[in-house]
Amino acid sequence: MVRELRRDRTGFVLTVGPTVAARRMRADAVVLAVPAAPASRLLAELAPRASALLSGIETASVVVVTLAFRASDLVGNDNLDGSLSGFLVPPSEGRRIKAGTFSFAKWEWVRDAGGGDVVHLRLSLGRHRQEAAVRASDEELVAWSRHDLGLATGLTAAPVASHVQRWGGGLPQYAVGHLDRIAAVRAEIASVPGLAVCGASYDGVGVPACIASAHRAVADLRAGG
Ligand SMILES: Cc1cc2nc3c(=O)[nH]c(=O)nc-3n(C[C@H](O)[C@H](O)[C@H](O)COP(=O)(O)OP(=O)(O)OC[C@H]3O[C@@H](n4cnc5c(N)ncnc54)[C@H](O)[C@@H]3O)c2cc1C
């Protein structure tokens, strides 16, 4: 955990670790691969404009509910015969879930984990500015997931197991003007020698985009010397 980032004449000084045992670390260069909110806090003194711009990036909180069903409960259900990998639900549908992933159909290792008797699938809940999903209890989230899954696929059997995982603030939201915002962030960051940023807040939230932004950060540092 990095708590503070400063620059002196020879490089960066990072304050790291728990507050009760904070320590200093020196670095020649720093790539901030953290979400926009901590990046904004860490950049407050080094790059105040970038810090302010990053603090304006909103996020959505997401919940993933995984359900395990008896394989026999899916027999005869055309939606769940393994030929589809899932579905998306537009907000206009008025449902709690926003997507379903038929994990057993999508990934062989998930299918293998079920051993032939059990199949796993997962539902995603939580849209931008709708924090109800992350605040709901596990029981509510499972009930909503089962209800909406039933409407989408006809599967009404009771799951044999369930798991709820919350990702508070997990997905940055790209508002109108995001590209200009990020260009301005990078412009100020580039004026601090040895500093770069990357991650889901910049050029795309998918893992490939995050990796590409990491390559770009390193290339920018190298180009800057
Ligand atoms: C539920 C869900 C499902 C998704 N599914 C997919 C998918 O199927 N395919 C896909 O391509 N993408 C998917 N994504 C998007 C993708 O997973 C993320 O956008 C991506 O992993 C973000 O990577 P990152 O490195 O930017 O951020 P993170 O993985 O969030 O890493 C940031 C790290 O910074 C650390 N950190 C924070 N503050 C500090 C600090 N002060 N000091 C030190 N460390 C700090 C955090 O602990 C964290 O480890 C999904 C996202 C979610 C939430």
Side-chain angles (χ1 to χ4, degrees):
M1 174 64 78
V2 182
R3 304 195 172 279
E4 197 183 64
L5 179 63
R6 288 190 297 108
R7 204 170 197 297
D8 63 16
R9 265 174 300 173
T10 55
F12 293 94
V13 184
L14 294 82
T15 307
V16 300
T19 42
V20 287
R23 58 194 175 82
R24 295 278 155 81
M25 238 179 92
R26 295 200 67 88
D28 298 326
V30 168
V31 177
L32 279 181
V34 299
S40 166
R41 287 194 291 274
L42 291 169
L43 290 169
E45 281 182 26
L46 271 180
R49 178 162 159 70
S51 168
L53 289 167
L54 286 169
S55 73
I57 296 179
E58 296 185 18
T59 58
S61 294
V62 189
V63 182
V64 176
V65 175
T66 304
L67 300 176
F69 291 94
R70 285 180 196 84
S72 55
D73 288 331
L74 275 60
V75 172
N77 187 321
D78 293 345
N79 294 312
L80 295 164
D81 63 3
S83 58
L84 302 174
S85 60
F87 59 94
L88 296 171
V89 186
S92 55
E93 290 283 312
R95 307 271 182 252
R96 303 265 195 187
I97 62 168
K98 56 178 194 171
T101 304
F102 304 155
S103 315
F104 68 94
K106 205 168 173 181
W107 295 294
E108 196 179 336
W109 67 268
V110 177
R111 200 161 44 245
D112 291 349
D117 302 326
V118 173
V119 293
H120 298 86
L121 48 83
R122 67 179 201 205
L123 296 314
S124 303
L125 301 89
R127 299 182 191 273
H128 184 212
R129 293 181 182 161
Q130 289 179 4
E131 296 297 310
V134 269
R135 294 200 188 114
S137 67
D138 286 10
E139 290 72 23
E140 283 174 308
L141 289 160
V142 170
W144 294 341
S145 299
R146 285 184 59 191
H147 177 263
D148 288 358
L149 177 68
L151 290 176
T153 66
L155 180 64
T156 53
V160 293
S162 61
H163 178 266
V164 175
Q165 175 74 56
R166 293 172 182 76
W167 298 91
L171 283 178
Q173 301 296 302
Y174 289 11
V176 173
H178 182 80
L179 294 178
D180 292 338
R181 179 191 299 264
I182 295 309
V185 167
R186 283 210 170 98
E188 194 184 24
I189 299 282
S191 71
V192 183
L195 183 63
V197 290
C198 67
S201 304
Y202 301 93
D203 311 309
V205 299
V207 170
C210 295
I211 293 170
S213 77
H215 286 298
R216 176 177 175 169
V218 174
D220 287 350
L221 282 186
R222 287 188 157 170

